[in-house]
């Protein structure tokens, strides 16, 4: 992983909360670091919420993990992602309990695919999700995430 890619997962792009009021607040809180760092515009957050209202809970990729996103033209200025980790789940759709909300933004298709591969290494197994949920600090979360990504890259070689 080169230095630029390492910066995608940083403490400033991680938010740990006990709980949020609902899935809309979860998306807003998860996206805030991207907004603060000018990776997305405010309208991107609105587009992600609109997508959930329009398409349902399709962004719940695996149990406990959601990845809201929108089209690049909806306000993605750069490529990046941020993560919200909750102690108490928020419900998406009818009954999908989610603890990890990964907010993804991209303005470049190739970078988008590369980032998706890295992100998927974090939740392609239930044990990995559970291990990430047990972390108690941002530093611990990042270290564990980097281990999972590194393992995945080694498996691909």
């Amino acid at each position: 992983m080169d230095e630029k890619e390492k910066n995608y997962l940083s403490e400033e792009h991680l938010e740990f909360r006990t709980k949020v009021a609902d899935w809309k607040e979860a998306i807003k809180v998860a996206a805030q670091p991207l907004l603060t760092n000018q990776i997305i515009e405010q309208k991107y957050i609105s587009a992600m919420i609109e997508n959930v209202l329009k398409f349902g809970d399709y962004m719940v990729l695996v149990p406990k993990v959601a990845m809201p996103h929108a089209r690049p033209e909806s306000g993605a200025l750069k490529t990046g992602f941020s993560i919200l980790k909750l102690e108490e789940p928020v419900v998406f759709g009818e009954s999908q309990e989610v603890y990890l909300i990964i907010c993804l933004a991209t303005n470049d298709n190739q970078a988008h695919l590369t980032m998706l591969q890295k992100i998927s290494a974090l939740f392609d197994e239930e044990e990995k999700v559970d291990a990430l949920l047990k972390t108690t600090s941002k530093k611990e979360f990042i270290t564990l995430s980097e281990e999972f990504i590194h393992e995945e890259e080694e498996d691909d070689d």
Side-chain angles (χ1 to χ4, degrees), residues 78-123:
K78 300 176 189 163
T79 296
F81 71 95
S82 54
I83 299 174
L84 168 62
K85 179 176 125 8
L86 297 169
E87 289 179 32
E88 296 179 22
V90 64
V91 176
F92 277 79
E94 297 297 311
S95 61
Q96 299 269 16
E97 289 192 344
V98 172
Y99 294 84
L100 286 177
I101 296 89
I102 302 166
C103 182
L104 174 67
T106 182
N107 64 350
D108 171 321
N109 274 341
Q110 190 54 48
H112 176 244
L113 294 174
T114 302
M115 192 175 317
L116 268 178
Q117 284 179 309
K118 292 187 183 313
I119 293 170
S120 70
L122 305 181
F123 58 78

Side-chain angles (χ1 to χ4, degrees), residues 7 12-13 15 20 22 25 41 44 78 102 109 111 113 116 139 142 157:
N7 293 337
E12 68 177 335
H13 284 199
E15 186 66 41
V20 291
D22 57 22
E25 184 183 357
E41 297 174 302
Y44 191 82
K78 300 176 189 163
I102 302 166
N109 274 341
L113 294 174
L116 268 178
K139 189 179 242 14
I142 290 170
D157 290 342

Side-chain angles (χ1 to χ4, degrees), residues 61-83:
L61 303 177
V62 296
K64 303 178 188 170
V65 181
M67 191 164 66
H69 55 282
R71 305 234 5 108
E73 58 273 15
S74 298
L77 303 173
K78 300 176 189 163
T79 296
F81 71 95
S82 54
I83 299 174

Side-chain angles (χ1 to χ4, degrees), residues 36-54:
T36 300
N37 289 289
Q38 299 177 336
I39 293 169
I40 61 171
E41 297 174 302
Q42 183 67 44
K43 67 181 184 176
Y44 191 82
I45 297 171
S46 300
M48 288 188 290
I49 290 170
E50 191 60 39
N51 281 346
V52 176
L53 292 171
K54 211 183 290 180

Side-chain angles (χ1 to χ4, degrees), residues 12-14 23 28 31 33 45 54 60 72 97 113 134 141 145 156:
E12 68 177 335
H13 284 199
L14 269 178
W23 64 265
K28 290 174 188 173
I45 297 171
K54 211 183 290 180
V60 178
E97 289 192 344
L113 294 174
K134 286 179 183 152
F141 188 99
S145 296
D156 290 344

